[in-house]
Amino acid sequence: MKLMESPGKESESENNYSMDSNTQQRRERENEKKGRKNRSTSFWKRIQPRNQPLRRVQTSSDMMQRMQDALRGDMMREFLAEFISTYVMMVFGLGSVAQKVLGENNYGTYLSINLGFGFGVVMGVHVAGGISGAHMNSALTFTSCVLGQMPWKKFPVYTVAQCFGSFLAAATIYGLFYQALIRYTDGNLTVTGPRATAGIFATYPASYMTLWRGFIDEIFLTGILQVCLLAINDKKNCPALQGTHPLVIGVLVVTIGLSLGMNTGYAINPSRDLPPRIFTSIAGWGNEVFTAAESWWWVPVVAPPLGALMGAIVYLLLIGSSHQHHRDRNAEIETTPKPRVLQSLQPLQQKVIVPSSHHSPMSPLSSHSDMDDPPSPRVGHIPPAPSLTVLHKNISHKVQEEDETFM
């Protein structure tokens, strides 16, 4: 019996072993699937924002989200504001010069150039005035950092944005007026001479100006600009009316150009002059843009920051100090104590006013208004009422007692 039962038991054990192995393999596959799912879920959790439902994020949408987050930063907003405002100002300004030169004075005059730059400044201030202050001028940015009105870490951000906007504006004007430029020059782009066109993009001094005279001229013009800008925005002096600052600043730029711009072209802004000059050297005018007029190119870069700083110092010393002296004087007047005589007289003046037909001798503590009132005319002799007489005597007696105590 035992020998006959053993084969069945062996087959049964083999079947159990095969079932156990199949079950184990199935469990291993299920665990592997769960592990893969957990790993993928943890991966998507890592790239998903917190407190948001899980969703499959594409690479392009993730990059767009990161770009939007970066653009929402304050520093980036100020960078873009300075870039766009400088671009707008330079497009209007350089466009007015291009129309005057390439149109052979048929489409513009010296006045139109000044109006173009002036109203370009107005539009630039409207574009970025509430975000970055719309400096559009690295000399003004430098002075603001020196005076502590903005941190130094913003200086390179503002300067790069202004230069980038100015460079792109020069490229824009070159593209818009390319056909007129080729027709006017016959394809020969020159810096000096009767058909010179490099002055459309950058400033060059007049033929009678020397290098150092032009340097002093740029310092003076930028100093005037800085003094007037501080006055326009000085709330303790006589500032421009609310909402009129862009227009007033534009009028200031036009005034400087009309009255003082003939000698050097009134660059008064490194960001306005250097980037378009670099563009002209690339676009076909060559290195002569840096060597012309005794290597004039560095003057509009160095002189305006010095002039803006000197103008700010002059304004703060001559005008700002007078503000402080005026405030100190007002504070001294307000803190001066009143005399005791006036303080003691004030309540007594309200007690002596008594309606009566008789006028007793005037007390030194009586009100001055009683002296100005003329006495009423007496028609015959009318005895006063007893109650009024008693009241008058009592009050006169009290006044005499207070007079004696005061003396």
Side-chain angles (χ1 to χ4, degrees), residues 30-331:
E30 291 177 356
N31 292 334
E32 187 177 357
K33 290 180 181 179
K34 289 181 180 179
R36 262 191 250 128
K37 186 177 181 181
N38 292 335
R39 284 196 298 272
S40 62
T41 305
S42 61
F43 171 75
W44 290 113
K45 282 183 178 180
R46 284 198 300 270
I47 67 172
Q48 289 289 335
R50 294 183 178 181
N51 301 327
Q52 289 188 6
L54 294 177
R55 59 183 178 84
R56 187 175 182 83
V57 180
Q58 300 294 331
T59 304
S60 58
S61 61
D62 187 40
M63 292 296 296
M64 289 296 296
Q65 183 66 30
R66 291 181 180 179
M67 291 177 61
Q68 290 176 0
D69 293 339
L71 293 177
R72 290 193 189 101
D74 293 338
M75 193 71 75
M76 181 56 68
R77 291 180 70 243
E78 292 176 1
F79 175 88
L80 295 176
E82 283 296 313
F83 161 70
I84 296 176
S85 61
T86 308
Y87 177 80
V88 169
M89 175 194 71
M90 291 298 293
V91 163
F92 287 139
L94 297 182
S96 63
V97 182
Q99 288 205 153
K100 193 260 183 186
V101 174
L102 302 180
E104 301 182 9
N105 297 326
N106 294 324
Y107 296 94
T109 61
Y110 184 70
L111 175 62
S112 66
I113 294 175
N114 293 284
L115 292 176
F117 273 105
F119 285 104
V121 170
V122 173
M123 295 298 107
V125 175
H126 277 295
V127 167
I131 300 173
S132 65
H135 292 191
M136 299 178 290
N137 188 334
S138 58
L140 303 181
T141 305
F142 172 76
T143 306
S144 299
C145 293
V146 173
L147 298 179
Q149 297 176 352
M150 61 181 294
W152 278 102
K153 66 180 181 180
K154 291 186 178 182
F155 176 73
V157 176
Y158 277 51
T159 302
V160 171
Q162 294 159 4
C163 292
F164 187 37
S166 183
F167 185 91
L168 188 60
T172 302
I173 295 301
Y174 178 81
L176 292 176
F177 290 91
Y178 178 77
Q179 294 296 332
L181 186 64
I182 297 301
R183 179 186 61 82
Y184 181 78
T185 61
D186 292 330
N188 184 24
L189 304 178
T190 58
V191 179
T192 59
R195 292 286 177 175
T197 51
I200 295 175
F201 302 93
T203 62
Y204 296 88
S207 58
Y208 55 83
M209 289 294 292
T210 62
L211 184 68
W212 292 105
R213 284 186 177 274
F215 184 82
I216 295 173
D217 187 83
E218 284 292 319
I219 289 178
F220 178 78
L221 295 187
T222 315
I224 288 290
L225 174 68
Q226 182 68 74
V227 168
C228 295
L229 286 176
L230 290 175
I232 291 171
N233 295 280
D234 190 355
K235 296 181 180 179
K236 297 175 182 178
N237 190 0
C238 184
L241 297 177
Q242 186 176 3
T244 63
H245 287 80
L247 181 60
V248 175
I249 295 173
V251 171
L252 171 62
V253 174
V254 173
T255 304
I256 292 175
L258 290 177
S259 57
L260 302 169
M262 182 180 71
N263 292 331
T264 61
Y266 72 107
I268 59 176
N269 183 357
S271 302
R272 174 259 179 272
D273 192 85
L274 183 60
R277 193 182 299 271
I278 295 174
F279 173 80
T280 54
S281 68
I282 299 172
W285 282 265
N287 292 330
E288 190 180 357
V289 298
F290 295 105
T291 60
E294 302 179 274
S295 299
W296 169 261
W297 70 270
W298 65 271
V299 174
V301 177
V302 178
L306 295 177
L309 182 59
M310 293 173 62
I313 292 173
V314 168
Y315 184 85
L316 294 177
L317 287 179
L318 300 183
I319 307 299
S321 60
S322 63
H323 288 341
Q324 184 65 32
H325 176 71
H326 186 67
R327 288 195 300 269
D328 295 342
R329 189 174 181 182
N330 289 340

Side-chain angles (χ1 to χ4, degrees), residues 325-339 343:
H325 176 71
H326 186 67
R327 288 195 300 269
D328 295 342
R329 189 174 181 182
N330 289 340
E332 183 180 356
I333 293 174
E334 290 177 358
T335 56
T336 302
K338 296 181 180 180
Q343 293 178 358

Side-chain angles (χ1 to χ4, degrees), residues 354-358 383-396:
V354 179
S356 175
S357 58
H358 289 281
S387 59
L388 292 177
T389 304
V390 175
L391 180 61
H392 177 70
K393 288 181 180 181
N394 293 335
I395 293 177
S396 299

